[in-house]
């Protein structure tokens, strides 16, 4: 078994730092995020999380007979991910906002581009490149989720039920990350490895742009009274 997972982490470090340097993430770490910023993050999360299962279905359909072992792993992922977009919407409602307005809204440009790139990578290039997105969305979340949820809760006074999506990717998700690590270490084909590496680098940039866009285009805006308080 190779140690491709550690290679994946090491060779995408610069791109990961680009994501973590997003101003809104820095404010989260400092306990300065607002209620509207958190809810706006969830709105965009909904627009990509709802595609996770369809994307994995597309990936599974494009695997070869020799990759049947990988298809079984994808099926396990699908079973775990079904319905998570509803968790996001319920968190939005727990924040005091209209979740149906999010359900029927359109994603921001940066969010749509990340989702579009995911579908394109599966259909036009190596379908295994999608694991680069899995690495970005889940692999780094274990370092972000628990602290971020705690800091946001302290900053805006939200109840625990407003963080079901975020905390599901925290310490309790260690086993899930370990599953992904073992899966990556079973991928020995160099072309597949390079596709995943390239995908991860791109998805770090694309996901980082979603966070940056939240400053320019917040879905939920603070009232004028709050802005001048």
């Amino acid at each position: 078994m190779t140690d491709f997972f550690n290679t994946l982490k090491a060779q995408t470090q610069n791109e990961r730092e680009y994501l973590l340097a997003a101003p809104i993430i820095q404010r989260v770490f400092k306990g300065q995020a607002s209620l509207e910023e958190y809810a706006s993050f969830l709105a965009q999360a909904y627009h990509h999380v709802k595609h996770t299962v369809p994307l994995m279905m597309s990936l599974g359909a494009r695997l070869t007979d020799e990759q049947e072992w990988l298809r079984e792993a994808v099926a396990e992922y699908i079973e775990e991910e079904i319905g998570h977009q509803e968790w996001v919407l319920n968190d939005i409602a727990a924040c005091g906002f209209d979740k149906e307005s999010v359900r029927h809204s359109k994603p921001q440009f940066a969010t749509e581009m990340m989702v579009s790139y995911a579908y394109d990578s599966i259909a036009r290039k190596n379908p295994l490149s999608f694991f680069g997105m899995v690495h970005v969305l889940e692999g780094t979340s274990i370092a972000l989720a628990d602290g971020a949820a705690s800091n946001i809760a302290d900053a805006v006074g939200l109840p625990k039920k407003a963080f079901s999506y975020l905390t599901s990717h925290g310490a309790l998700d260690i086993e899930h990350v370990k599953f992904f690590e073992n899966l990556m270490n079973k991928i020995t084909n160099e072309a597949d490895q390079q596709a995943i590496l390239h995908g991860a680098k791109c998805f770090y940039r694309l996901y980082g742009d979603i966070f940056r866009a939240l400053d320019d285009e917040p879905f939920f805006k603070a009232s004028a009274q709050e802005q001048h308080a």
Side-chain angles (χ1 to χ4, degrees):
M1 185 179 290
T2 66
D3 197 10
F4 173 58
F5 179 74
N6 282 332
T7 299
L8 179 61
K9 287 199 301 182
Q11 294 192 14
T12 58
Q13 183 62 31
N14 289 340
E15 290 77 14
R16 182 175 186 268
E17 290 175 0
Y18 173 81
L19 166 63
L20 296 180
I24 191 171
I25 292 181
Q26 293 301 306
R27 291 198 297 276
V28 166
F29 283 146
K30 295 174 183 176
Q32 298 172 347
S34 70
L35 174 63
E36 290 79 13
E37 285 176 328
Y38 174 55
S40 293
F41 155 73
L42 289 174
Q44 297 313 306
Y46 167 75
H47 282 299
H48 68 75
V49 170
K50 71 179 182 179
H51 289 281
T52 301
V53 170
L55 283 164
M56 288 183 172
M57 287 178 168
S58 299
L59 164 60
R62 291 180 61 85
L63 296 175
T64 65
D65 289 346
E66 289 73 25
Q67 294 172 312
E68 184 63 28
W69 64 273
L70 196 51
R71 196 178 350 254
E72 292 177 4
V74 171
E76 187 171 333
Y77 266 119
I78 289 172
E79 186 176 359
E80 291 184 3
E81 295 295 327
I82 285 177
H84 281 200
Q85 70 272 18
E86 295 299 324
W87 295 7
V88 180
L89 292 178
N90 290 338
D91 287 351
I92 291 170
C95 290
F97 296 100
D98 180 10
K99 71 177 185 180
E100 294 304 318
S101 70
V102 175
R103 189 194 301 275
H104 299 293
S105 69
K106 293 183 178 180
Q108 292 178 350
F109 178 78
T111 309
E112 189 159 0
M113 287 303 98
M114 185 176 78
V115 171
S116 297
Y117 181 77
Y119 279 109
D120 181 69
S121 296
I122 291 171
R124 185 173 59 86
K125 299 191 287 186
N126 188 325
L128 267 64
S129 63
F130 177 70
F131 284 118
M133 185 176 183
V134 176
H135 176 65
V136 170
L137 295 183
E138 296 197 359
T140 62
S141 61
I142 199 166
L144 295 173
D146 290 331
S150 176
N151 286 346
I152 294 169
D154 290 343
V156 300
L158 286 171
K160 185 177 181 180
K161 67 178 182 178
F163 298 95
S164 63
Y165 168 69
L166 204 56
T167 54
S168 72
H169 291 80
L172 295 176
D173 206 36
I174 292 176
E175 187 175 332
H176 202 174
V177 173
K178 191 66 179 178
F179 176 80
F180 178 75
E181 178 179 348
N182 291 335
L183 189 64
M184 289 300 95
N185 285 339
K186 292 177 183 176
I187 295 175
T188 57
N189 180 278
E190 186 174 353
D192 290 340
Q193 290 180 347
Q194 290 303 312
I196 295 168
L197 271 168
H198 179 72
K201 289 182 178 183
C202 291
F203 284 114
Y204 268 128
R205 299 284 300 191
L206 290 163
Y207 198 37
D209 288 343
I210 291 175
F211 282 103
R212 283 166 169 77
L214 292 174
D215 279 338
D216 299 324
E217 305 173 71
F219 188 88
F220 297 105
K221 298 179 181 179
S223 67
Q225 187 177 14
E226 288 176 319
Q227 288 175 342
H228 293 90

